[in-house]
Every structure is written in C-alpha cells, then in structure tokens.
Amino acid sequence: MENFELLKIFMHKWKYGGRKYNKFCISIHYKTQFHNYFLSQLDHHVSELNKQINSIEKDDIMAMDNHFKIIAYFEALLSNAYSIMEDIAKITFAFFPKFNLPQRFHDQLDWLLKEKNIKVDPEYTEYLRNMTWYYELREMRTECIHF
C-alpha cells in the first residue's frame, strides 16, 4: 500500500483530523505527483535551454521568449515544493497539539532548531534539524516570486 493511502486511512480515524486535514493530505499527494512530473522533465528543459543559449546571437530578442518559459517553469517548481512544506507544517501542527507548534513550515523549523531540548517526534525533529536545503529553496522561491 502506498504511503499516501496509509496516511489517508489514519486521517479518517484520527480525532483531530476530519475534512480540514484530509484536504492537506490530498493536497500533498497531488502536489507530490506534480512535483515528480516537474523533476522528470527538468533534464529536458535544461538541455533545450543550453541548446538555445549556444545557438542564439547576443542581440536575438526572439530567444527571450524561451528564457521566460524556463523561468516560469522554475518558479512553478519552487512554489510547488514550498507549498508541499506548508501543507506538512499544517498537518504536523495538528499531530502535536500539546507543543503549540507554529503553523508555517519555516517557523516550525526555526522553532525546532532553537528549542534544542524539545523533541516533538524524534525522527521528524532529527530530519528537520538536518534540513539545511530548505533555507536555500525558500530563498530562491522568494527571489523568483517577490522580486
């Protein structure tokens, strides 16, 4: 059985679950599929971009259209990854109500890094504490989306 199916069964039986948290689980499932599709196409897009870059003249305005497409592709990829992490944070918040965790992923991560003696869940906490790549992903997404 796929992990998503196990999570869905658990969420139906969980007393804090219900429709709101089932929505986040379903969202993660579809966003993960979408993200995997993006990743499967990444090599193709980078290869095409390299071919175009190598074949254009420096003053070729028409080539800009392809650059905009690749920028849009990466914005969507980064936003989707960020969105998955936000859904995970909402579910984690609900799983561990006694800790009163922040509901935003980066706030949860910062909180767990600051509160060294608190173990929400040993495996999850350890995973988050070794998750240095998230800050880079968040920074790249912020740059693409907001500037």
Side-chain angles (χ1 to χ4, degrees):
M1 184 180 293
E2 188 179 320
N3 287 340
F4 171 72
E5 292 299 320
L6 290 172
L7 184 58
K8 193 165 69 170
I9 291 167
F10 175 75
M11 294 302 282
H12 282 294
K13 302 208 181 283
W14 182 42
K15 69 177 182 174
Y16 296 105
R19 294 182 65 153
K20 181 178 178 182
Y21 295 103
N22 284 338
K23 176 180 79 171
F24 293 129
C25 290
I26 291 167
S27 175
I28 289 170
H29 174 69
Y30 287 114
K31 287 174 187 172
T32 303
Q33 287 183 333
F34 184 65
H35 196 72
N36 287 339
Y37 171 76
F38 265 126
L39 291 176
S40 74
Q41 300 299 308
L42 188 59
D43 286 340
H44 168 72
H45 288 293
V46 170
S47 174
E48 286 298 310
L49 183 62
N50 282 333
K51 285 179 197 172
Q52 292 166 9
I53 288 171
N54 292 330
S55 67
I56 61 173
E57 297 293 323
K58 289 186 179 181
D59 296 330
D60 188 357
I61 300 299
M62 295 302 288
M64 290 301 291
D65 182 52
N66 293 319
H67 289 87
F68 292 134
K69 288 177 187 173
I70 200 76
I71 290 168
Y73 177 85
F74 282 111
E75 279 185 14
L77 183 67
L78 293 169
S79 290
N80 191 59
Y82 181 84
S83 183
I84 290 169
M85 303 315 288
E86 289 299 308
D87 285 349
I88 289 170
K90 288 173 180 64
I91 292 171
T92 306
F93 168 81
F95 267 88
F96 303 103
K98 73 177 185 176
F99 289 102
N100 197 25
L101 292 168
Q103 291 189 45
R104 304 285 316 242
F105 186 80
H106 69 273
D107 293 335
Q108 271 186 24
L109 184 56
D110 290 344
W111 183 82
L112 284 166
L113 291 173
K114 187 175 78 175
E115 302 293 332
K116 300 258 187 235
N117 296 327
I118 296 177
K119 299 265 193 225
V120 172
D121 173 81
E123 285 182 56
Y124 182 67
T125 302
E126 188 62 29
Y127 182 77
L128 290 183
R129 287 187 174 149
N130 291 311
M131 212 170 143
T132 56
W133 59 265
Y134 174 76
Y135 290 104
E136 189 173 348
L137 175 126
R138 183 171 174 243
E139 186 177 321
M140 286 188 297
R141 182 215 168 250
T142 299
E143 287 291 322
C144 282
I145 301 300
H146 299 291
F147 299 105

